[in-house]
């Protein structure tokens, strides 16, 4: 089957020449819709590879903004994004559009939560993991299993990472793997405590996107079907078969605790020394807030999406949806009081 026009044929020629994809697989890719949850190192690298490979639509959901410490491994962002403190979803959207204008890219600045997960992830064929925490991954797993759509688990920390492709009813799900009590395969440490190398997150993203290309081009028979883990420092690679758990909470019993769970807690830990607070159900006028805060705080910076300031020893970032990230404390009481004092109760 020929591609739609000559320029597309040229753009994807090296990929359609590859027998596993071919012109028909490319045609399917170009009609596919994907969401990436989290646009840190793995999410950004996956988005870059996928958009270059060509697809119909990509949604990128991320709650955070670009900081200088991200640039060592988060390959979509540059120093000007960090200087402007752009939300990652916004910076990624504009970068990806300039990479391949034939793909519709939508960046969404939001924290995936039980209340918005089904709406945000409802209109895509495949979900990719770019998250940095297990609460979000279990939420993705619940949405995917409930709606019988595939998703790809991917995680990396220090020099080590792992990935597994999950097809509800056909393979084990994340709850089969991590909640069955036969030895957790998740990562307990975080990049904020033990660091992370660029090569491992980019390697895991590459494995994740290769699986995505197989699924989206119509070749599920080519999926590796294993839990793959790699350590780029020791050179150790492992591939483990994971069976479905006969009593799995999610994919057998249909008990979607993360999705149906109580509303998102008002305060969540976020990184080594930060707290995220969600106190408001309504949007903030950042312009008005900026004018009010200017005489009270240091280093006030703002753009259309967020406002950032310092009140020593804390750093506060407020998003237009009322969410805030407070750096310099892990104490919910301190976070609440800062929020109330500067943003409003
Ligand atoms: Zn399961």
């Amino acid at each position: 089957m020929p591609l739609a026009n000559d320029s597309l044929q040229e753009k994807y020629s090296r990929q359609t020449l590859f027998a596993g994809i071919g012109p028909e697989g490319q045609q399917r890719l170009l009609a596919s819709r994907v969401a990436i949850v989290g646009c840190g190192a793995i999410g950004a690298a996956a988005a870059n590879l996928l958009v270059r490979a060509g697809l119909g639509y990509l949604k990128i959901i991320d709650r955070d903004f670009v900081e200088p410490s991200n640039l060592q491994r988060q390959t979509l962002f540059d120093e000007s994004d960090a200087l402007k403190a752009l939300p990652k979803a916004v910076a990624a959207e504009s970068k990806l559009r300039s990479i391949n204008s034939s793909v519709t890219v939508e960046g969404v600045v939001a924290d995936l939560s039980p209340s918005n997960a089904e709406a945000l992830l409802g209109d895509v064929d495949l979900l990719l993991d770019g998250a940095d925490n297990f609460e979000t991954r279990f939420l993705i797993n619940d949405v995917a299993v409930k709606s019988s759509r595939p998703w790809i688990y991917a995680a990396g920390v220090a020099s080590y990472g792992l990935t597994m492709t999950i097809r509800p009813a056909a393979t084990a799900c994340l709850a089969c793997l991590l909640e069955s009590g036969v030895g957790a395969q998740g990562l307990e440490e975080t990049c904020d405590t033990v660091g992370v190398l660029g090569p491992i997150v980019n390697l895991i993203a590459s494995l994740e996107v290769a699986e995505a290309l197989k699924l989206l081009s119509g070749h599920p028979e080519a999926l590796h079907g294993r839990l793959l883990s790699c350590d780029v420092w020791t050179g150790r690679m492992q591939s483990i078969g994971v069976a479905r758990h006969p009593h799995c909470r999610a994919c057998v019993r249909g008990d979607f605790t993360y999705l149906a769970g109580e509303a998102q807690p008002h305060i969540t830990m976020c990184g080594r020394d930060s707290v995220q607070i969600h106190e408001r159900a309504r949007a903030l006028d950042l312009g008005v807030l900026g004018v009010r805060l200017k005489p009270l705080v240091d280093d006030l910076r703002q753009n259309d999406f967020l406002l950032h300031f310092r009140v020593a020893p804390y750093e506060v970032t407020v998003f237009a949806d009322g969410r805030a990230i407070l750096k310099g404390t892990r104490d919910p009481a301190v976070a609440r009081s800062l929020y109330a004092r500067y943003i409003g109760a």
Side-chain angles (χ1 to χ4, degrees):
M1 193 197 298
L3 287 171
N5 62 48
D6 290 349
S7 70
L8 281 185
Q9 213 160 346
E10 170 62 22
K11 188 183 270 183
Y12 303 118
S13 59
R14 299 305 185 273
Q15 194 165 275
T16 50
L17 265 176
F18 173 66
I21 291 186
E24 202 160 318
Q26 186 66 42
Q27 203 69 272
R28 284 173 181 251
L29 266 181
L30 295 178
S32 64
R33 300 172 64 85
V34 175
I36 298 182
V37 180
C39 194
I42 291 178
N48 187 1
L49 287 168
L50 252 192
V51 162
R52 286 176 193 275
L55 73 163
Y57 169 84
L58 179 66
K59 181 185 283 186
I60 294 164
I61 302 158
D62 192 279
R63 66 184 182 188
D64 221 335
F65 61 96
V66 182
E67 295 177 271
S69 67
N70 301 149
L71 303 181
Q72 155 257 359
R73 64 196 180 284
Q74 302 189 8
T75 51
L76 266 190
F77 310 125
D78 58 34
E79 291 180 351
S80 73
D81 299 323
L83 251 179
K84 289 184 261 183
L86 281 181
K88 290 181 182 179
V90 172
E93 179 188 296
S94 94
K95 204 68 53 85
L96 293 164
R97 283 184 174 172
S98 70
I99 287 170
N100 189 349
S101 59
S102 10
V103 179
T104 304
V105 180
E106 188 188 357
V108 179
V109 185
D111 188 23
L112 194 79
S113 69
S115 58
N116 65 17
E118 283 181 290
L120 284 177
L121 302 177
D123 54 352
V124 295
D125 312 311
L126 171 67
L127 314 175
L128 296 186
D129 180 9
D132 60 358
N133 66 85
F134 274 97
E135 201 163 79
T136 303
R137 291 195 177 100
F138 277 117
L139 190 53
I140 300 171
N141 190 65
D142 275 3
V143 171
V145 171
K146 187 177 173 194
S147 59
S148 299
R149 284 176 296 164
W151 77 281
I152 305 176
Y153 164 44
V157 69
S159 60
Y160 175 78
L162 34 81
T163 179
M164 184 170 95
T165 301
I166 292 163
R167 284 186 303 146
T171 68
C173 79
L174 191 68
C176 292
L177 176 68
L178 296 179
E179 294 179 348
S180 60
V182 291
Q185 292 284 350
L187 299 178
E188 299 293 322
E189 288 159 319
T190 77
C191 302
D192 289 307
T193 55
V194 296
V196 60
L197 296 181
I200 187 58
V201 279
N202 283 276
L203 173 59
I204 292 293
S206 293
L207 294 170
E208 184 181 33
V209 172
E211 290 282 280
L213 295 182
K214 297 171 198 174
L215 279 168
L216 299 172
S217 67
H219 292 286
E221 76 286 351
L223 295 167
H224 58 65
R226 317 272 289 174
L227 174 69
L228 300 184
S229 64
C230 320
D231 187 323
V232 292
W233 206 250
T234 62
R236 191 152 173 262
M237 313 271 168
Q238 249 189 324
S239 155
I240 304 164
V242 180
R244 286 188 71 193
H245 193 274
H247 308 296
C248 175
R249 162 191 62 83
C251 71
V252 176
R253 304 205 320 262
D255 179 4
F256 303 116
T257 44
Y258 284 80
L259 187 54
E262 306 78 66
Q264 177 97 345
H266 281 323
I267 292 194
T268 49
M269 295 308 146
C270 160
R272 181 183 44 189
D273 197 22
S274 300
V275 169
Q276 180 177 236
I277 189 159
H278 324 243
E279 285 287 15
R280 277 172 184 262
R282 64 189 170 84
L284 279 174
D285 186 329
L286 293 177
V288 171
L289 184 62
V291 170
R292 184 159 62 75
L293 287 176
K294 190 113 185 89
L296 308 174
V297 301
D298 297 319
D299 304 336
L300 182 76
R301 290 187 295 161
Q302 70 188 106
N303 55 42
D304 292 345
F305 314 98
L306 60 84
L307 189 150
H308 181 91
F309 60 90
R310 218 160 45 78
V311 191
Y314 311 107
E315 272 179 52
V316 182
T317 308
V318 192
F319 294 84
D321 64 0
R323 197 161 50 80
I325 294 176
L326 300 104
K327 230 185 201 172
T329 183
R330 284 185 66 83
D331 182 344
V334 171
R336 269 188 215 288
S337 124
L338 282 168
Y339 193 98
R341 191 172 336 145
Y342 293 100
I343 299 151

